[in-house]
Structure formats: C-alpha cells, structure tokens
Amino acid sequence: MAKLYFRYGAMNSGKSTALLQAAFNYEERGQHVLLAKPEIDTKGADQISSRLGVERTVDFLIGPEDDARELFAEHRRRVQREAEAALVPDVRTDVACLLVDEAQFLQPEQIDDLLRVAVSDGIPVLAYGIRTDFQTRAFPGSARLMELAHSLEELKTICRCGSKALFNARLVGGRFVFDGDQVAIDELSADRVTYESMCARCYLRESGERLR
Ligand SMILES: [Zn+2]
C-alpha cells in the first residue's frame, strides 16, 4: 500500500532541498513525479526553490477551495497520455509519487485528499512543511498531517546557540514580534518579515517566556 509521508521541520531545515532531491532520485530511475504546492504561498508563486540555488516550477498549485485529489488525478492523466504518446521504451507511463511543498498551508480537508491519493489511488505522497507558526501553534495542514500521515520524519536544523531548532520566531524589520497573523501580510510585499529558527530556550528568552 502506498503511504502518506510528512517530513516536517522548522524554517530553513532544508525541506525544499530534500523535496527536490527526492524528485531527482525518482527521475534518475526514469520515473515520473508530480510537484504541487498551495496557492497561498507567496514567495515565488509556482516555484520550489531550495536555499542551495536549485529551483523548479511546480506542476500544479492547490487553491484553498480545490479538491487536491481531483487536481492530482487530472495531472496524472496528462502524464499518462504524454508518456504513452512518447512511446519511449523503458520509461514508465504512470506517476510514481506526488511531492507537496509548503504543506502546512493546505486545508485539513486537502490533507484528507492526500491520504486518499496514497491509500485509494495507490500513489505515495510526500508532504513537506513547517510544523508550527511563529506563535508555536500548529498550522491547520500540519496538524492534520500529524494525525494522518503513515510516517513522520523530522528534518533538523540548528538554533543560533547550537541546539536543535524547534520554533520559528518572526522578525519585522529585524526585531522580534510575537503578535500578528499566522501568515504575515507583509510577506506579500517587502522583505521586512523574516524568520529565525530557534530552540525552545532561545525562543522563550526572546519572547519573555510567552508562548502565544
Ligand atoms: Zn537556542
């Protein structure tokens, strides 16, 4: 049975790099993959970009109202048609895997769709995302992935103190802020909003012991 995988971490834990590497590993073996991400993500619209400089356009964006399973099925049919038309021997004619970046921004119902893609449609789904927002609360998509995924894998990154980073502190104009919307409006325009991955000890020190 195909499975739903959730690979999660703090910001800057190399999620996009890991996703692009996974896609490469499949394609190196002559297999097809499909890449998707939620429409809400604003940095680079339809691109998955790793901090190492690799960039790739997704096959489809998932809007907040979309049926993720139906969208996947449409693109799967396209891959099947193209592969059959190409008539290249030894190239497989079906999708081997669906890779989803920024999965924290999907709706919980869309995570349900991803489980159906894996279990009912038989295609493995690898979802990558951030576990919690800058106020240490789970994103709705991540919470549902924690509930449903067959496999959870943490991608680790380091706090400035050297401990494992757990949280994502938000900075606006270089200063820490602990109030605001889950997705900062400023992210749409300027580079004023940045994030720093932090361990719990450093986060609590910066927030004055506040957690939300
Ligand atoms: Zn620290």
Side-chain angles (χ1 to χ4, degrees):
M1 185 182 71
K3 292 179 180 168
L4 171 61
Y5 300 81
F6 185 34
R7 295 177 176 167
Y8 66 92
M11 311 270 293
N12 308 317
S13 57
K15 291 181 294 298
S16 298
T17 304
L19 184 156
L20 293 173
Q21 178 68 48
F24 179 82
N25 292 346
Y26 275 98
E27 290 169 339
E28 201 179 25
R29 289 175 274 159
Q31 296 186 305
H32 298 278
V33 297
L34 285 173
L35 276 58
K37 66 192 282 196
E39 225 168 51
I40 189 173
D41 177 48
T42 51
K43 46 178 193 207
D46 60 349
Q47 295 286 312
I48 294 176
S49 35
S50 93
R51 291 183 302 139
L52 300 182
V54 185
E55 220 174 51
R56 182 162 165 173
T57 306
V58 295
D59 296 286
F60 61 97
L61 291 170
I62 304 168
E65 307 295 326
D66 285 339
D67 180 325
R69 186 186 182 190
E70 185 46 46
L71 266 182
F72 168 75
E74 281 171 30
H75 287 269
R76 182 185 184 185
R77 285 193 289 273
R78 175 180 57 76
V79 167
Q80 290 168 335
R81 277 197 308 273
E82 287 172 2
E84 280 159 20
L87 293 174
V88 182
D90 298 332
V91 173
R92 312 230 164 82
T93 54
D94 200 358
V95 172
C97 178
L98 170 63
L99 298 147
V100 184
D101 200 21
E102 307 280 7
Q104 72 273 8
F105 293 135
L106 291 176
Q107 306 298 320
E109 297 75 18
Q110 294 173 325
I111 305 299
D112 298 356
D113 291 340
L114 297 184
L115 183 73
R116 295 186 188 103
V117 167
V119 175
S120 306
D121 302 336
I123 306 296
V125 180
L126 276 59
Y128 294 77
I130 296 165
R131 182 162 67 163
T132 54
D133 67 14
F134 77 109
Q135 293 174 315
T136 70
R137 284 179 289 220
F139 287 96
S142 304
R144 193 67 182 135
L145 276 161
M146 289 286 175
E147 292 166 347
L148 290 188
H150 296 90
S151 164
L152 298 171
E153 184 189 333
E154 186 174 20
L155 301 171
K156 298 182 176 69
T157 191
I158 298 294
C159 176
R160 58 189 176 186
C161 73
S163 298
K164 190 184 82 173
L166 192 60
F167 302 135
N168 306 293
R170 176 183 289 173
L171 298 97
V172 178
R175 299 179 63 132
F176 287 107
V177 294
F178 294 91
D179 292 303
D181 296 329
Q182 188 167 55
V183 179
I185 303 299
D186 281 14
E187 282 171 277
L188 295 169
S189 51
D191 291 325
R192 278 172 46 76
V193 178
T194 56
Y195 293 90
E196 183 176 337
S197 332
M198 285 185 153
C199 74
R201 181 180 300 278
C202 290
Y203 184 97
L204 286 172
R205 186 190 307 124
E206 292 295 342
S207 73
E209 305 279 310
R210 277 181 64 196
L211 277 172
R212 52 201 296 167

